[in-house]
Amino acid sequence: MNPEEALSLVRPCILALDPYSTARDECGDNQPEVFLDANESPYENGINRYPDPRQKVLKEKVAALKGISADRLFLGNGSDEAIDLLYRVFCNPGEDNAVSIAPSYGMYGVAAAMNDIAFRPVPLRADFSLDEAALLAACDAKTKLLFLCSPNNPSGNVFPQEQIERLLESFPGILVVDEAYIDFASTPSLLPLLDRYPRLVILQTLSKAWGMAGLRIGLAMAAPAVIALFSRVKYPYNINILAQRMALTRLDPAVLDHHVAEVTAQRIRLQKSLSASPFVREIYPSEANFLLVRVDDADGLYRRLLDAGVIVRNRTRVKGCEGCLRISVGTPSENDRLLEVMGVPVHRGAADVALLGDRHAVVRRTTRETAILVDLDLERSGVCEIATGLPFLDHMLEQIPHHGGVSLRVSAQGDLQVDEHHTMEDVGIALGEAVAAALGDKRGIGRYGFALPMDDCDALVLLDFGGRIDFRWQVRFDREQVGGIPTEMFSHFFQSVCTGAKCNLHVEARGDNAHHKAEAIFKAFARALRMAVARSPFPYDLPSSKGVL
Ligand SMILES: *Cc1c(COP(=O)(O)O)cnc(C)c1O
């Protein structure tokens, strides 16, 4: 592979370009102390200086998050800038052309038109799968760019990596894969392919899963030779100083994961609920944060939603999307509002359960008093994000991922101005439901768990997932409160867990210090859970009165 292979495709005027250079570009790492080079105002107000044209700090952070070196990364004023630059770098106006799947993102065609480049949309099949032969048939010697979008907007599907690799082998131009929605997809990004294919350009963005559409920051990732061309052609200060600063403070992968889990759970809920809507004919499977839905009267329903204050994207006039609305996934209450207009009864008080993968469940419970989200992954450890509004309960719940070897996120908004009762009860139920959902049919698990960690307190927790529900609690607290929580609430909490998980749960504890006693119970619970959910801990099946689990 020749890493500079793409250079033969570049417009001659771009190869010959002598790019604009700032005085600060020229001084390299030797940073001056007095800036009299750029005719800026000398009065410091946070924005009086030009931004870093190379976005060094932000680029390094984003590159590290993506697991690539910074010389493979271009940051643009939205992905839209990267799309425009692709045309300006590779396509001679009035001469070259670009091929794209259709339906897909509108900017590929708009940017082509602005640059006087012939644009050739090639229809996907009726089920939105990729027609490789048709794509290649549309290409000729003047085709410089081929656009794919995966997951595709508006259809929501991902194209198989084998197909994309075959196109990389057979198409001699630049293959652009737009991964704007990749964070929501169950398949990984194609970034690892960059090492092998010097004509591959991958686009991503901070506008969708990262929640920063207002900042306008898009990513193009490619071979260093291609990135160097982008950097020469872009406007010097394309990412403003506030966007660079703000993005740095918001690039927290834990927040990304949390939001992706919530949105995915909501997408699954919408998918299920919308199929009960009298207006819906078809819902296309989605790996993104939206659903493409075919309805009876798209224009009519679009208007009805708008009259009710809900705007969706009407795609009925897009070829291949006749009768379709594209609906972005919102917050649970926004989705409820959508469903109500769509004629779907919304059950409040019920839990929404979504399975995000093997033994990974997300439960959302919304009642009049509380809104709880529990995200439990029995197969993966390392994530612990607990925010219930009750700091002592947070501290206790943190013992579960720490000592249970699981990943746990809990967020709760409850009526704490009344008291902690509803919040503790509903967190307990949702946690139990998440355990039950993650365990699924429970095949091959240890089933039993017991533990007795000894600090200055003993706690004994027995768990059995055999199917019977039985709760026993032999714990006495000498104090009425610990950590601001009435001690009686702990038995109520674990009873709620037991109800939600439909298990046997027996708890005993001894010791003097109420804080330590509560903590020992949560630790013991975590250890017992770890044993009970472990897969095939013994080389034989455990018999049960109901057969083998
Ligand atoms: C939303 C979207 C983008 C993002 O564009 P930005 O300019 O980065 O906000 C890119 N590609 C597709 C397919 C999109 O849907």
Side-chain angles (χ1 to χ4, degrees), residues 76-81 83 104-108 149-154 178-181 203-208 212-213 216-219 290 326:
N77 190 339
S79 314
D80 295 346
E81 183 185 3
I83 293 166
S104 194
Y105 187 44
M107 276 311 287
Y108 312 142
C149 181
S150 179
N152 187 36
N153 175 5
D178 187 341
E179 293 187 334
Y181 300 96
L203 304 180
Q204 291 185 8
T205 180
L206 301 191
S207 296
K208 305 287 156 65
M212 301 185 224
R216 310 304 306 124
I217 297 181
L219 287 56
F290 56 79
R326 192 195 66 197

PDB file of all heavy atoms in Angstrom, residues 76-81 83 104-108 149-154 178-181 203-208 212-213 216-219 290 326, ligand 1:
ATOM      1  N   GLY A  76     -13.360  20.137  11.384  1.00  0.00           N
ATOM      2  CA  GLY A  76     -14.014  21.122  10.529  1.00  0.00           C
ATOM      3  C   GLY A  76     -15.152  21.828  11.236  1.00  0.00           C
ATOM      4  O   GLY A  76     -15.608  21.386  12.292  1.00  0.00           O
ATOM      5  N   ASN A  77     -15.605  22.914  10.629  1.00  0.00           N
ATOM      6  CA  ASN A  77     -16.770  23.640  11.125  1.00  0.00           C
ATOM      7  C   ASN A  77     -18.012  22.810  10.748  1.00  0.00           C
ATOM      8  O   ASN A  77     -18.715  23.098   9.784  1.00  0.00           O
ATOM      9  CB  ASN A  77     -16.770  25.022  10.461  1.00  0.00           C
ATOM     10  CG  ASN A  77     -17.799  25.936  11.075  1.00  0.00           C
ATOM     11  OD1 ASN A  77     -18.750  25.477  11.707  1.00  0.00           O
ATOM     12  ND2 ASN A  77     -17.626  27.213  10.906  1.00  0.00           N
ATOM     13  N   GLY A  78     -18.220  21.753  11.510  1.00  0.00           N
ATOM     14  CA  GLY A  78     -19.222  20.744  11.172  1.00  0.00           C
ATOM     15  C   GLY A  78     -18.662  19.777  10.142  1.00  0.00           C
ATOM     16  O   GLY A  78     -17.669  20.075   9.483  1.00  0.00           O
ATOM     17  N   SER A  79     -19.297  18.606  10.018  1.00  0.00           N
ATOM     18  CA  SER A  79     -18.901  17.680   8.947  1.00  0.00           C
ATOM     19  C   SER A  79     -19.117  18.344   7.606  1.00  0.00           C
ATOM     20  O   SER A  79     -18.494  17.983   6.616  1.00  0.00           O
ATOM     21  CB  SER A  79     -19.755  16.414   8.946  1.00  0.00           C
ATOM     22  OG  SER A  79     -19.887  15.908  10.222  1.00  0.00           O
ATOM     23  N   ASP A  80     -20.040  19.295   7.592  1.00  0.00           N
ATOM     24  CA  ASP A  80     -20.347  19.958   6.326  1.00  0.00           C
ATOM     25  C   ASP A  80     -19.101  20.614   5.733  1.00  0.00           C
ATOM     26  O   ASP A  80     -18.926  20.616   4.516  1.00  0.00           O
ATOM     27  CB  ASP A  80     -21.454  20.999   6.546  1.00  0.00           C
ATOM     28  CG  ASP A  80     -22.772  20.351   6.950  1.00  0.00           C
ATOM     29  OD1 ASP A  80     -22.886  19.109   6.804  1.00  0.00           O
ATOM     30  OD2 ASP A  80     -23.679  21.055   7.406  1.00  0.00           O
ATOM     31  N   GLU A  81     -18.227  21.152   6.574  1.00  0.00           N
ATOM     32  CA  GLU A  81     -16.992  21.731   6.036  1.00  0.00           C
ATOM     33  C   GLU A  81     -16.129  20.637   5.403  1.00  0.00           C
ATOM     34  O   GLU A  81     -15.558  20.826   4.324  1.00  0.00           O
ATOM     35  CB  GLU A  81     -16.183  22.462   7.114  1.00  0.00           C
ATOM     36  CG  GLU A  81     -14.930  23.111   6.509  1.00  0.00           C
ATOM     37  CD  GLU A  81     -13.985  23.776   7.496  1.00  0.00           C
ATOM     38  OE1 GLU A  81     -14.216  23.720   8.719  1.00  0.00           O
ATOM     39  OE2 GLU A  81     -12.979  24.332   7.031  1.00  0.00           O
ATOM     40  N   ILE A  83     -17.132  17.878   4.073  1.00  0.00           N
ATOM     41  CA  ILE A  83     -17.746  17.446   2.812  1.00  0.00           C
ATOM     42  C   ILE A  83     -17.384  18.443   1.703  1.00  0.00           C
ATOM     43  O   ILE A  83     -16.969  18.066   0.604  1.00  0.00           O
ATOM     44  CB  ILE A  83     -19.282  17.317   2.988  1.00  0.00           C
ATOM     45  CG1 ILE A  83     -19.586  16.171   3.957  1.00  0.00           C
ATOM     46  CG2 ILE A  83     -19.966  17.097   1.638  1.00  0.00           C
ATOM     47  CD1 ILE A  83     -21.015  16.145   4.478  1.00  0.00           C
ATOM     48  N   SER A 104     -29.929   9.515   1.031  1.00  0.00           N
ATOM     49  CA  SER A 104     -28.911   9.704   2.056  1.00  0.00           C
ATOM     50  C   SER A 104     -28.861  11.178   2.438  1.00  0.00           C
ATOM     51  O   SER A 104     -29.782  11.939   2.118  1.00  0.00           O
ATOM     52  CB  SER A 104     -27.554   9.180   1.578  1.00  0.00           C
ATOM     53  OG  SER A 104     -26.663   9.067   2.664  1.00  0.00           O
ATOM     54  N   TYR A 105     -27.774  11.557   3.090  1.00  0.00           N
ATOM     55  CA  TYR A 105     -27.655  12.911   3.633  1.00  0.00           C
ATOM     56  C   TYR A 105     -27.629  13.937   2.503  1.00  0.00           C
ATOM     57  O   TYR A 105     -26.855  13.794   1.540  1.00  0.00           O
ATOM     58  CB  TYR A 105     -26.363  12.964   4.439  1.00  0.00           C
ATOM     59  CG  TYR A 105     -26.118  14.234   5.221  1.00  0.00           C
ATOM     60  CD1 TYR A 105     -27.127  14.837   5.961  1.00  0.00           C
ATOM     61  CD2 TYR A 105     -24.850  14.809   5.235  1.00  0.00           C
ATOM     62  CE1 TYR A 105     -26.881  15.980   6.696  1.00  0.00           C
ATOM     63  CE2 TYR A 105     -24.586  15.942   5.982  1.00  0.00           C
ATOM     64  CZ  TYR A 105     -25.609  16.528   6.699  1.00  0.00           C
ATOM     65  OH  TYR A 105     -25.352  17.657   7.430  1.00  0.00           O
ATOM     66  N   GLY A 106     -28.446  14.984   2.622  1.00  0.00           N
ATOM     67  CA  GLY A 106     -28.615  15.950   1.544  1.00  0.00           C
ATOM     68  C   GLY A 106     -27.377  16.765   1.207  1.00  0.00           C
ATOM     69  O   GLY A 106     -27.219  17.217   0.062  1.00  0.00           O
ATOM     70  N   MET A 107     -26.470  16.953   2.186  1.00  0.00           N
ATOM     71  CA  MET A 107     -25.342  17.856   1.945  1.00  0.00           C
ATOM     72  C   MET A 107     -24.369  17.333   0.887  1.00  0.00           C
ATOM     73  O   MET A 107     -23.641  18.121   0.291  1.00  0.00           O
ATOM     74  CB  MET A 107     -24.573  18.134   3.243  1.00  0.00           C
ATOM     75  CG  MET A 107     -25.145  19.240   4.106  1.00  0.00           C
ATOM     76  SD  MET A 107     -25.517  20.774   3.241  1.00  0.00           S
ATOM     77  CE  MET A 107     -23.867  21.420   2.969  1.00  0.00           C
ATOM     78  N   TYR A 108     -24.340  16.005   0.654  1.00  0.00           N
ATOM     79  CA  TYR A 108     -23.411  15.508  -0.371  1.00  0.00           C
ATOM     80  C   TYR A 108     -23.756  16.139  -1.720  1.00  0.00           C
ATOM     81  O   TYR A 108     -22.869  16.559  -2.471  1.00  0.00           O
ATOM     82  CB  TYR A 108     -23.450  13.975  -0.499  1.00  0.00           C
ATOM     83  CG  TYR A 108     -23.369  13.208   0.800  1.00  0.00           C
ATOM     84  CD1 TYR A 108     -24.112  12.041   0.986  1.00  0.00           C
ATOM     85  CD2 TYR A 108     -22.554  13.643   1.846  1.00  0.00           C
ATOM     86  CE1 TYR A 108     -24.060  11.326   2.167  1.00  0.00           C
ATOM     87  CE2 TYR A 108     -22.501  12.928   3.035  1.00  0.00           C
ATOM     88  CZ  TYR A 108     -23.262  11.776   3.195  1.00  0.00           C
ATOM     89  OH  TYR A 108     -23.220  11.074   4.364  1.00  0.00           O
ATOM     90  N   CYS A 149     -23.004   6.343   3.726  1.00  0.00           N
ATOM     91  CA  CYS A 149     -23.326   6.867   5.050  1.00  0.00           C
ATOM     92  C   CYS A 149     -23.803   5.664   5.860  1.00  0.00           C
ATOM     93  O   CYS A 149     -24.744   4.988   5.456  1.00  0.00           O
ATOM     94  CB  CYS A 149     -24.430   7.917   4.910  1.00  0.00           C
ATOM     95  SG  CYS A 149     -24.930   8.681   6.448  1.00  0.00           S
ATOM     96  N   SER A 150     -23.119   5.376   6.988  1.00  0.00           N
ATOM     97  CA  SER A 150     -23.406   4.137   7.719  1.00  0.00           C
ATOM     98  C   SER A 150     -23.168   4.337   9.217  1.00  0.00           C
ATOM     99  O   SER A 150     -22.027   4.589   9.593  1.00  0.00           O
ATOM    100  CB  SER A 150     -22.501   3.022   7.173  1.00  0.00           C
ATOM    101  OG  SER A 150     -22.718   1.817   7.852  1.00  0.00           O
ATOM    102  N   PRO A 151     -24.208   4.277  10.032  1.00  0.00           N
ATOM    103  CA  PRO A 151     -25.625   4.101   9.735  1.00  0.00           C
ATOM    104  C   PRO A 151     -26.121   5.212   8.813  1.00  0.00           C
ATOM    105  O   PRO A 151     -25.720   6.352   8.984  1.00  0.00           O
ATOM    106  CB  PRO A 151     -26.295   4.210  11.106  1.00  0.00           C
ATOM    107  CG  PRO A 151     -25.228   3.916  12.114  1.00  0.00           C
ATOM    108  CD  PRO A 151     -23.972   4.378  11.497  1.00  0.00           C
ATOM    109  N   ASN A 152     -27.005   4.816   7.893  1.00  0.00           N
ATOM    110  CA  ASN A 152     -27.427   5.779   6.875  1.00  0.00           C
ATOM    111  C   ASN A 152     -28.549   6.673   7.389  1.00  0.00           C
ATOM    112  O   ASN A 152     -29.460   6.226   8.073  1.00  0.00           O
ATOM    113  CB  ASN A 152     -27.889   5.019   5.627  1.00  0.00           C
ATOM    114  CG  ASN A 152     -28.194   5.947   4.468  1.00  0.00           C
ATOM    115  OD1 ASN A 152     -27.515   6.967   4.288  1.00  0.00           O
ATOM    116  ND2 ASN A 152     -29.211   5.618   3.685  1.00  0.00           N
ATOM    117  N   ASN A 153     -28.444   7.933   7.056  1.00  0.00           N
ATOM    118  CA  ASN A 153     -29.521   8.886   7.276  1.00  0.00           C
ATOM    119  C   ASN A 153     -30.235   9.043   5.939  1.00  0.00           C
ATOM    120  O   ASN A 153     -29.573   9.383   4.958  1.00  0.00           O
ATOM    121  CB  ASN A 153     -28.898  10.229   7.723  1.00  0.00           C
ATOM    122  CG  ASN A 153     -29.915  11.337   7.865  1.00  0.00           C
ATOM    123  OD1 ASN A 153     -31.110  11.105   7.731  1.00  0.00           O
ATOM    124  ND2 ASN A 153     -29.430  12.547   8.120  1.00  0.00           N
ATOM    125  N   PRO A 154     -31.522   8.771   5.816  1.00  0.00           N
ATOM    126  CA  PRO A 154     -32.535   8.590   6.859  1.00  0.00           C
ATOM    127  C   PRO A 154     -32.938   7.148   7.149  1.00  0.00           C
ATOM    128  O   PRO A 154     -33.833   6.933   7.946  1.00  0.00           O
ATOM    129  CB  PRO A 154     -33.739   9.303   6.242  1.00  0.00           C
ATOM    130  CG  PRO A 154     -33.632   8.981   4.783  1.00  0.00           C
ATOM    131  CD  PRO A 154     -32.145   8.901   4.487  1.00  0.00           C
ATOM    132  N   ASP A 178     -19.516   8.146   5.921  1.00  0.00           N
ATOM    133  CA  ASP A 178     -20.005   9.108   6.905  1.00  0.00           C
ATOM    134  C   ASP A 178     -20.561   8.329   8.098  1.00  0.00           C
ATOM    135  O   ASP A 178     -21.590   7.663   7.997  1.00  0.00           O
ATOM    136  CB  ASP A 178     -21.079   9.980   6.251  1.00  0.00           C
ATOM    137  CG  ASP A 178     -21.535  11.134   7.153  1.00  0.00           C
ATOM    138  OD1 ASP A 178     -21.310  11.069   8.370  1.00  0.00           O
ATOM    139  OD2 ASP A 178     -22.122  12.090   6.617  1.00  0.00           O
ATOM    140  N   GLU A 179     -19.857   8.425   9.219  1.00  0.00           N
ATOM    141  CA  GLU A 179     -20.265   7.700  10.436  1.00  0.00           C
ATOM    142  C   GLU A 179     -20.844   8.655  11.483  1.00  0.00           C
ATOM    143  O   GLU A 179     -20.569   8.524  12.678  1.00  0.00           O
ATOM    144  CB  GLU A 179     -19.072   6.947  11.032  1.00  0.00           C
ATOM    145  CG  GLU A 179     -18.572   5.809  10.154  1.00  0.00           C
ATOM    146  CD  GLU A 179     -17.498   4.955  10.843  1.00  0.00           C
ATOM    147  OE1 GLU A 179     -16.789   5.468  11.752  1.00  0.00           O
ATOM    148  OE2 GLU A 179     -17.360   3.773  10.464  1.00  0.00           O
ATOM    149  N   ALA A 180     -21.686   9.595  11.040  1.00  0.00           N
ATOM    150  CA  ALA A 180     -22.252  10.578  11.974  1.00  0.00           C
ATOM    151  C   ALA A 180     -22.978   9.901  13.143  1.00  0.00           C
ATOM    152  O   ALA A 180     -23.030  10.452  14.245  1.00  0.00           O
ATOM    153  CB  ALA A 180     -23.206  11.509  11.235  1.00  0.00           C
ATOM    154  N   TYR A 181     -23.538   8.707  12.895  1.00  0.00           N
ATOM    155  CA  TYR A 181     -24.359   8.048  13.926  1.00  0.00           C
ATOM    156  C   TYR A 181     -23.702   6.809  14.510  1.00  0.00           C
ATOM    157  O   TYR A 181     -24.354   5.986  15.142  1.00  0.00           O
ATOM    158  CB  TYR A 181     -25.726   7.687  13.316  1.00  0.00           C
ATOM    159  CG  TYR A 181     -26.455   8.908  12.818  1.00  0.00           C
ATOM    160  CD1 TYR A 181     -26.396   9.282  11.489  1.00  0.00           C
ATOM    161  CD2 TYR A 181     -27.157   9.717  13.709  1.00  0.00           C
ATOM    162  CE1 TYR A 181     -27.034  10.429  11.040  1.00  0.00           C
ATOM    163  CE2 TYR A 181     -27.795  10.861  13.271  1.00  0.00           C
ATOM    164  CZ  TYR A 181     -27.719  11.214  11.935  1.00  0.00           C
ATOM    165  OH  TYR A 181     -28.352  12.346  11.504  1.00  0.00           O
ATOM    166  N   LEU A 203     -15.949  10.184   8.088  1.00  0.00           N
ATOM    167  CA  LEU A 203     -16.482  11.397   8.720  1.00  0.00           C
ATOM    168  C   LEU A 203     -17.225  11.031   9.995  1.00  0.00           C
ATOM    169  O   LEU A 203     -17.958  10.045  10.028  1.00  0.00           O
ATOM    170  CB  LEU A 203     -17.471  12.104   7.773  1.00  0.00           C
ATOM    171  CG  LEU A 203     -16.967  12.495   6.390  1.00  0.00           C
ATOM    172  CD1 LEU A 203     -18.094  13.180   5.609  1.00  0.00           C
ATOM    173  CD2 LEU A 203     -15.755  13.415   6.498  1.00  0.00           C
ATOM    174  N   GLN A 204     -16.995  11.792  11.040  1.00  0.00           N
ATOM    175  CA  GLN A 204     -17.807  11.688  12.250  1.00  0.00           C
ATOM    176  C   GLN A 204     -18.117  13.117  12.705  1.00  0.00           C
ATOM    177  O   GLN A 204     -17.694  14.069  12.053  1.00  0.00           O
ATOM    178  CB  GLN A 204     -17.080  10.891  13.345  1.00  0.00           C
ATOM    179  CG  GLN A 204     -16.943   9.407  12.983  1.00  0.00           C
ATOM    180  CD  GLN A 204     -16.331   8.561  14.091  1.00  0.00           C
ATOM    181  OE1 GLN A 204     -16.133   9.039  15.208  1.00  0.00           O
ATOM    182  NE2 GLN A 204     -16.015   7.314  13.774  1.00  0.00           N
ATOM    183  N   THR A 205     -18.805  13.261  13.802  1.00  0.00           N
ATOM    184  CA  THR A 205     -19.227  14.597  14.215  1.00  0.00           C
ATOM    185  C   THR A 205     -19.443  14.650  15.714  1.00  0.00           C
ATOM    186  O   THR A 205     -19.713  13.621  16.335  1.00  0.00           O
ATOM    187  CB  THR A 205     -20.524  14.989  13.475  1.00  0.00           C
ATOM    188  OG1 THR A 205     -20.929  16.297  13.885  1.00  0.00           O
ATOM    189  CG2 THR A 205     -21.657  14.026  13.769  1.00  0.00           C
ATOM    190  N   LEU A 206     -19.337  15.837  16.278  1.00  0.00           N
ATOM    191  CA  LEU A 206     -19.727  16.020  17.681  1.00  0.00           C
ATOM    192  C   LEU A 206     -21.195  16.437  17.787  1.00  0.00           C
ATOM    193  O   LEU A 206     -21.697  16.705  18.867  1.00  0.00           O
ATOM    194  CB  LEU A 206     -18.841  17.082  18.363  1.00  0.00           C
ATOM    195  CG  LEU A 206     -17.333  16.817  18.378  1.00  0.00           C
ATOM    196  CD1 LEU A 206     -16.632  17.811  19.325  1.00  0.00           C
ATOM    197  CD2 LEU A 206     -16.999  15.397  18.823  1.00  0.00           C
ATOM    198  N   SER A 207     -21.881  16.497  16.629  1.00  0.00           N
ATOM    199  CA  SER A 207     -23.240  17.056  16.609  1.00  0.00           C
ATOM    200  C   SER A 207     -24.325  16.105  17.097  1.00  0.00           C
ATOM    201  O   SER A 207     -25.410  16.550  17.437  1.00  0.00           O
ATOM    202  CB  SER A 207     -23.621  17.478  15.189  1.00  0.00           C
ATOM    203  OG  SER A 207     -22.798  18.506  14.727  1.00  0.00           O
ATOM    204  N   LYS A 208     -24.078  14.799  17.098  1.00  0.00           N
ATOM    205  CA  LYS A 208     -25.181  13.884  17.380  1.00  0.00           C
ATOM    206  C   LYS A 208     -25.021  13.272  18.770  1.00  0.00           C
ATOM    207  O   LYS A 208     -25.416  13.875  19.737  1.00  0.00           O
ATOM    208  CB  LYS A 208     -25.269  12.829  16.274  1.00  0.00           C
ATOM    209  CG  LYS A 208     -25.390  13.453  14.874  1.00  0.00           C
ATOM    210  CD  LYS A 208     -26.761  14.058  14.610  1.00  0.00           C
ATOM    211  CE  LYS A 208     -26.781  15.147  13.544  1.00  0.00           C
ATOM    212  NZ  LYS A 208     -26.454  14.721  12.193  1.00  0.00           N
ATOM    213  N   MET A 212     -23.310  18.166  20.790  1.00  0.00           N
ATOM    214  CA  MET A 212     -22.728  19.504  20.630  1.00  0.00           C
ATOM    215  C   MET A 212     -23.034  20.087  19.249  1.00  0.00           C
ATOM    216  O   MET A 212     -22.183  20.762  18.654  1.00  0.00           O
ATOM    217  CB  MET A 212     -21.207  19.443  20.829  1.00  0.00           C
ATOM    218  CG  MET A 212     -20.780  18.923  22.189  1.00  0.00           C
ATOM    219  SD  MET A 212     -18.990  19.018  22.391  1.00  0.00           S
ATOM    220  CE  MET A 212     -18.644  17.431  23.117  1.00  0.00           C
ATOM    221  N   ALA A 213     -24.238  19.878  18.745  1.00  0.00           N
ATOM    222  CA  ALA A 213     -24.569  20.376  17.397  1.00  0.00           C
ATOM    223  C   ALA A 213     -24.360  21.885  17.303  1.00  0.00           C
ATOM    224  O   ALA A 213     -23.988  22.410  16.251  1.00  0.00           O
ATOM    225  CB  ALA A 213     -26.014  20.006  17.043  1.00  0.00           C
ATOM    226  N   ARG A 216     -20.698  23.230  16.180  1.00  0.00           N
ATOM    227  CA  ARG A 216     -20.247  23.011  14.802  1.00  0.00           C
ATOM    228  C   ARG A 216     -18.827  22.445  14.779  1.00  0.00           C
ATOM    229  O   ARG A 216     -17.862  23.143  14.447  1.00  0.00           O
ATOM    230  CB  ARG A 216     -20.300  24.315  13.963  1.00  0.00           C
ATOM    231  CG  ARG A 216     -21.583  25.084  14.017  1.00  0.00           C
ATOM    232  CD  ARG A 216     -22.789  24.271  13.618  1.00  0.00           C
ATOM    233  NE  ARG A 216     -22.634  23.651  12.310  1.00  0.00           N
ATOM    234  CZ  ARG A 216     -22.758  22.348  12.107  1.00  0.00           C
ATOM    235  NH1 ARG A 216     -23.053  21.515  13.103  1.00  0.00           N
ATOM    236  NH2 ARG A 216     -22.599  21.852  10.912  1.00  0.00           N
ATOM    237  N   ILE A 217     -18.677  21.199  15.168  1.00  0.00           N
ATOM    238  CA  ILE A 217     -17.371  20.546  15.029  1.00  0.00           C
ATOM    239  C   ILE A 217     -17.585  19.174  14.393  1.00  0.00           C
ATOM    240  O   ILE A 217     -18.303  18.327  14.937  1.00  0.00           O
ATOM    241  CB  ILE A 217     -16.647  20.407  16.386  1.00  0.00           C
ATOM    242  CG1 ILE A 217     -16.355  21.808  16.947  1.00  0.00           C
ATOM    243  CG2 ILE A 217     -15.331  19.625  16.216  1.00  0.00           C
ATOM    244  CD1 ILE A 217     -15.616  21.831  18.264  1.00  0.00           C
ATOM    245  N   GLY A 218     -16.968  18.984  13.240  1.00  0.00           N
ATOM    246  CA  GLY A 218     -17.034  17.703  12.545  1.00  0.00           C
ATOM    247  C   GLY A 218     -15.635  17.139  12.406  1.00  0.00           C
ATOM    248  O   GLY A 218     -14.644  17.870  12.452  1.00  0.00           O
ATOM    249  N   LEU A 219     -15.566  15.821  12.228  1.00  0.00           N
ATOM    250  CA  LEU A 219     -14.263  15.153  12.148  1.00  0.00           C
ATOM    251  C   LEU A 219     -14.124  14.493  10.779  1.00  0.00           C
ATOM    252  O   LEU A 219     -15.070  13.859  10.309  1.00  0.00           O
ATOM    253  CB  LEU A 219     -14.153  14.030  13.182  1.00  0.00           C
ATOM    254  CG  LEU A 219     -13.983  14.308  14.670  1.00  0.00           C
ATOM    255  CD1 LEU A 219     -15.068  15.195  15.220  1.00  0.00           C
ATOM    256  CD2 LEU A 219     -13.955  13.000  15.439  1.00  0.00           C
ATOM    257  N   PHE A 290     -32.636   7.798  15.467  1.00  0.00           N
ATOM    258  CA  PHE A 290     -33.899   8.172  14.837  1.00  0.00           C
ATOM    259  C   PHE A 290     -34.532   6.919  14.263  1.00  0.00           C
ATOM    260  O   PHE A 290     -33.885   5.874  14.148  1.00  0.00           O
ATOM    261  CB  PHE A 290     -33.663   9.208  13.721  1.00  0.00           C
ATOM    262  CG  PHE A 290     -32.678   8.755  12.680  1.00  0.00           C
ATOM    263  CD1 PHE A 290     -33.049   7.878  11.668  1.00  0.00           C
ATOM    264  CD2 PHE A 290     -31.356   9.179  12.728  1.00  0.00           C
ATOM    265  CE1 PHE A 290     -32.135   7.452  10.714  1.00  0.00           C
ATOM    266  CE2 PHE A 290     -30.434   8.753  11.774  1.00  0.00           C
ATOM    267  CZ  PHE A 290     -30.828   7.888  10.770  1.00  0.00           C
ATOM    268  N   ARG A 326     -39.228  10.807   9.423  1.00  0.00           N
ATOM    269  CA  ARG A 326     -38.045  10.440  10.214  1.00  0.00           C
ATOM    270  C   ARG A 326     -38.184  11.099  11.570  1.00  0.00           C
ATOM    271  O   ARG A 326     -38.322  12.314  11.663  1.00  0.00           O
ATOM    272  CB  ARG A 326     -36.755  10.910   9.529  1.00  0.00           C
ATOM    273  CG  ARG A 326     -35.504  10.299  10.156  1.00  0.00           C
ATOM    274  CD  ARG A 326     -34.245  11.035   9.741  1.00  0.00           C
ATOM    275  NE  ARG A 326     -34.260  12.386  10.282  1.00  0.00           N
ATOM    276  CZ  ARG A 326     -33.483  13.373   9.847  1.00  0.00           C
ATOM    277  NH1 ARG A 326     -32.647  13.188   8.855  1.00  0.00           N
ATOM    278  NH2 ARG A 326     -33.559  14.573  10.410  1.00  0.00           N
TER     279      ARG A 326
HETATM  280  C1  LIG B   1     -26.175  15.203  11.105  1.00  0.00           C
HETATM  281  C2  LIG B   1     -25.291  14.630  10.105  1.00  0.00           C
HETATM  282  C3  LIG B   1     -23.986  15.096   9.958  1.00  0.00           C
HETATM  283  C4  LIG B   1     -23.465  16.130  10.878  1.00  0.00           C
HETATM  284  O1  LIG B   1     -23.166  17.294  10.289  1.00  0.00           O
HETATM  285  P1  LIG B   1     -22.429  18.427  11.144  1.00  0.00           P
HETATM  286  O2  LIG B   1     -22.146  19.417  10.100  1.00  0.00           O
HETATM  287  O3  LIG B   1     -21.197  17.804  11.737  1.00  0.00           O
HETATM  288  O4  LIG B   1     -23.374  18.873  12.192  1.00  0.00           O
HETATM  289  C5  LIG B   1     -23.170  14.503   9.028  1.00  0.00           C
HETATM  290  N1  LIG B   1     -23.614  13.491   8.267  1.00  0.00           N
HETATM  291  C6  LIG B   1     -24.851  13.013   8.396  1.00  0.00           C
HETATM  292  C7  LIG B   1     -25.284  11.863   7.584  1.00  0.00           C
HETATM  293  C8  LIG B   1     -25.732  13.570   9.309  1.00  0.00           C
HETATM  294  O5  LIG B   1     -26.977  13.088   9.408  1.00  0.00           O
END
